[in-house]
Amino acid sequence: MHAHAGFETRHDARDVLGTHRHGGAYAALVIDGSHVEASPDGPIACEPGTLVLHPRWHAHGNRFGRLGATVANLDLADAAAPDTLRVLRVPDARQARAVFTDAPQRLGELIAACTPVRAPELHAWQAEFLRELELGELDVATLARRAGVSAAHASRVFAVSHGMPPQLLRRELRCRRALRLLADGLALADIAALAGFADQAHLSRTLRAATGATPSRLRGQIKCVQDAPPRPALQ
């Protein structure tokens, strides 16, 4: 299933990786040290034994702790890619590391033995703020006022917890919604309206900037994944 073994990266103490995205899906296992991953999914505290499964085009940033971190990484085939971010706890970090380095074909077994990590806790006002960012049209200042915080405070909080201020977070959430809708075979103009874009041209520009591909090409890639034989890697 995986033609190549994983590789390890070492990150210095207090290192910061700004928001970025990977074109392909991949698994990341924390070997030592710690870091916080911030994305539209919220902050994830990653420590030794944390296994994060990233879907394609997942935008996130990383803030490393006082000891830095060593992370094992493994690219996932499209057909084995998760639809959404998954955060798991491995039963044995040493054995999990061996899967990444020596037996990537056993990743499915490793995942099946893991336990899910609870979703991060957010400030009480953030959940509704996020829903409105994705689905509503109110400006950020109005959303902040409704939440009982200042626009500047909302921007600072989301930049820390989600890796980007509300305006960029709105764009990212709508991109995700559009990518999900592409799989349903809807017309691009309908997808643009349902995902909150001004029109089809706006949708196309934004998705191309985020993923490097046009909506039509993305739809073809998604269809290829859907038509591929099922893989056991992420059961």
Side-chain angles (χ1 to χ4, degrees):
M1 175 176 52
H2 298 284
H4 303 287
F7 59 95
E8 294 187 2
T9 53
R10 178 65 199 173
H11 304 273
D12 295 334
R14 308 298 184 188
D15 195 10
V16 175
L17 293 179
T19 300
H20 59 285
R21 76 178 77 237
H22 299 256
Y26 73 101
L29 171 69
V30 182
I31 304 301
D32 60 45
S34 65
H35 68 92
V36 174
E37 178 171 302
S39 78
D41 299 283
I44 302 168
C46 299
E47 55 190 26
T50 300
L51 173 61
V52 184
L53 304 176
H54 295 87
R56 289 193 71 179
W57 309 302
H58 183 254
H60 61 279
N62 307 84
R63 302 189 305 275
F64 293 89
R66 62 182 182 84
L67 299 178
T70 301
V71 181
N73 305 274
L74 183 64
D75 293 332
L76 300 175
D78 283 345
D83 294 327
T84 59
L85 185 75
R86 294 181 63 188
V87 185
L88 306 169
R89 183 76 184 174
V90 301
D92 186 302
R94 181 183 60 81
Q95 292 179 0
R97 184 181 197 176
V99 168
F100 273 64
T101 57
D102 302 320
Q105 72 279 3
R106 296 183 57 199
L107 181 62
E109 298 174 37
L110 173 62
I111 290 171
C114 289
T115 55
V117 174
R118 293 177 57 184
E121 292 187 9
L122 302 174
H123 296 287
W125 56 269
Q126 283 184 282
E128 181 60 28
F129 202 113
L130 286 168
R131 281 192 292 271
E132 287 293 328
L133 278 179
E134 180 178 2
L135 303 174
E137 297 298 335
L138 294 176
D139 60 75
V140 172
T142 300
L143 292 178
R145 186 164 58 251
R146 285 188 170 190
V149 299
S150 69
H153 179 73
S155 183
R156 287 193 298 270
V157 170
F158 278 111
V160 172
S161 63
H162 291 68
M164 57 191 78
Q167 204 60 27
L168 292 181
L169 186 53
R170 167 173 270 163
R171 184 179 67 182
E172 189 66 29
L173 289 169
R174 292 183 175 185
C175 280
R176 288 187 177 194
R177 184 172 177 81
L179 288 169
R180 291 194 297 268
L181 290 169
L182 280 172
D184 295 336
L186 300 175
L188 294 181
D190 293 334
I191 292 175
L194 289 170
F197 292 94
D199 51 32
Q200 182 176 328
H202 184 206
L203 166 70
S204 297
R205 288 195 306 273
T206 306
L207 283 183
R208 187 161 190 166
T211 67
T214 64
S216 296
R217 184 179 175 189
L218 290 169
R219 195 199 296 274
Q221 292 175 355
I222 292 169
K223 187 176 187 305
C224 285
V225 172
Q226 291 175 330
D227 293 344
R231 303 288 187 98
L234 297 183
Q235 55 185 299

